Amino acid sequence: WRVSTRPLETLADGGRQALLVMRDETDSRRNERMRADFLANASHELRTPLASLTGFIETLRGHAKDDAVARERFLGVMAAQASRMARLIDDLLSLSRIELNEHIAPEGKVDVALAVLDVLDALSPLAAERGVKLKTSLPERGVATITGDRDQILQVAQNLIDNAAKYTPGGDAVQIEVLVGQTADQAIAPLRASAARLSILNPDLVGGERFVVLRCTDRGPGIAREHLPRLSERFYRVEGQKSGERLGTGLGLAIVKHIVNRHRGGLVVESEEGHGTTFTAYFPWLQQNRHETVA
Ligand code: ADP
């Protein structure tokens, strides 16, 4: 609490009045602390690859100077660290941009199925390299249309599909589905009785509204129940998970959560250790335009 007093006018009988103001500052203090934590985490995350780059530069200047094989290997690691830094910076910028416009309703029209196809064009080669198949079940063009920001819907699809592919062992498949005209209850209906579930966002969407559902299922390692509530925190990563060479930024699901929220949608995760994970994002369906073709 912050307490302050302000003198008011002197009364007729000579007495004085004062105003006592007590302000609950819990929220602003919490926000300040969260901002400070965020900056500390972001700096730490950026420093790690930077420290590794600096270390390799020293080595290349020193004893590896005349060793062509070592030099090639170190340059490969350095390139990977540099691209990790670039991913971190991209994700940090996305997050800050999304937070700035989260309260402004998006205005464009987006076909979620087309967004998935665009993301698959970009991700398929990488998945194929690891022997991971990306299987889809999508409605006709123009049917799965929502009011939205195309770049942001692409980011949601990209993050969910990329995660599923990243945590899926080679030889296995990821299933990507887009469903249309679902009620909120249908969108979040349990898929496996034995799996742990959590509505990360807007668990109370109802009111007869129909939704476009984007569902991404993998048969990767799954996520233990106790981690589910923290998945969409910035920089949160489950320790000891194998993610096919590439270390994530821990920002993907935080970005997904903000975007889905801006689109007045919901987000559910269902997972079972050893059996895999399903993420379901759902958005209000723009039903009246379902036969138009949109970008
Ligand atoms: P990252 O960039 O590390 O993937 P995210 O915010 O996208 O960050 O995810 C946070 C964490 O949630 C990941 O580090 C991983 O531990 C876990 N996770 C996300 N998706 C999956 C999945 N499909 N299977 C298993 N674990 C997952």
Side-chain angles (χ1 to χ4, degrees), residues 138-149:
L138 305 174
E140 269 173 52
R141 203 184 165 89
V143 177
T145 301
I146 63 168
T147 301
D149 177 317

Side-chain angles (χ1 to χ4, degrees), residues 11 24 27 112 126 133 137 158 171 179 198 200 204 213 235 249 252 254 260 284-285 289-290:
L11 298 174
D24 180 354
D27 274 355
V112 177
L126 219 75
K133 286 184 264 318
S137 163
Q158 146 91 31
L179 306 164
L198 179 79
I200 297 177
D204 43 10
V213 173
F235 300 117
T249 62
V260 175
W285 184 30
N289 291 310
R290 67 185 185 275

Side-chain angles (χ1 to χ4, degrees), residues 163-164 166-167 218 221-223 231 236-238 241 248-254 277 279:
N163 273 350
K166 206 161 59 177
Y167 297 106
D218 66 65
I223 306 164
L231 286 187
Y236 190 78
R237 289 188 288 255
V238 180
Q241 251 177 0
T249 62
L251 292 172
L253 288 175
T277 304
F279 278 93

Side-chain angles (χ1 to χ4, degrees), residues 235-273:
F235 300 117
Y236 190 78
R237 289 188 288 255
V238 180
E239 298 257 331
Q241 251 177 0
K242 281 187 83 172
S243 58
E245 329 279 280
R246 261 178 326 135
L247 183 62
T249 62
L251 292 172
L253 288 175
I255 290 172
V256 167
K257 181 176 162 178
H258 282 289
I259 294 177
V260 175
N261 197 34
R262 180 177 181 223
H263 287 76
R264 295 195 305 111
L267 182 65
V268 184
V269 54
E270 188 164 317
S271 193
E272 189 172 1
E273 269 187 291

Side-chain angles (χ1 to χ4, degrees), residues 207-245:
E209 201 160 4
R210 299 282 167 159
F211 295 89
V212 170
V213 173
L214 166 60
R215 181 168 287 149
C216 201
T217 301
D218 66 65
R219 286 192 281 148
I223 306 164
R225 184 181 294 269
E226 65 268 22
H227 294 296
L228 297 185
R230 301 199 57 192
L231 286 187
S232 60
E233 279 177 25
R234 294 152 180 197
F235 300 117
Y236 190 78
R237 289 188 288 255
V238 180
E239 298 257 331
Q241 251 177 0
K242 281 187 83 172
S243 58
E245 329 279 280

Side-chain angles (χ1 to χ4, degrees), residues 8 17 20 29 34 66 70 103-104 119 122 136 152 156 161 181 192 205 241 243 265 271-272 283 295:
L8 292 179
Q17 261 189 336
L20 178 68
R29 278 280 158 79
M34 276 171 60
D66 303 317
H103 59 283
I104 304 167
V119 168
T136 53
Q152 292 193 337
V156 170
I161 299 171
R192 295 172 71 103
L205 281 176
Q241 251 177 0
S243 58
S271 193
E272 189 172 1
F283 306 93

Side-chain angles (χ1 to χ4, degrees), residues 76-146:
V77 182
M78 288 169 77
Q81 296 293 352
S83 72
R84 170 160 175 72
M85 284 188 82
R87 275 208 307 279
L88 266 164
I89 291 167
D90 284 350
D91 279 359
L92 284 167
L93 280 174
S94 292
L95 200 57
S96 95
R97 238 181 263 131
I98 291 156
E99 280 183 340
L100 277 179
N101 72 7
E102 193 169 358
H103 59 283
I104 304 167
E107 285 178 349
K109 278 186 206 166
V110 190
D111 179 344
V112 177
L114 277 189
V116 166
L117 287 174
D118 281 355
V119 168
L120 289 177
D121 280 346
L123 290 184
S124 294
L126 219 75
E129 244 173 57
R130 300 194 43 244
V132 172
K133 286 184 264 318
L134 303 176
K135 292 188 181 167
T136 53
S137 163
L138 305 174
E140 269 173 52
R141 203 184 165 89
V143 177
T145 301
I146 63 168

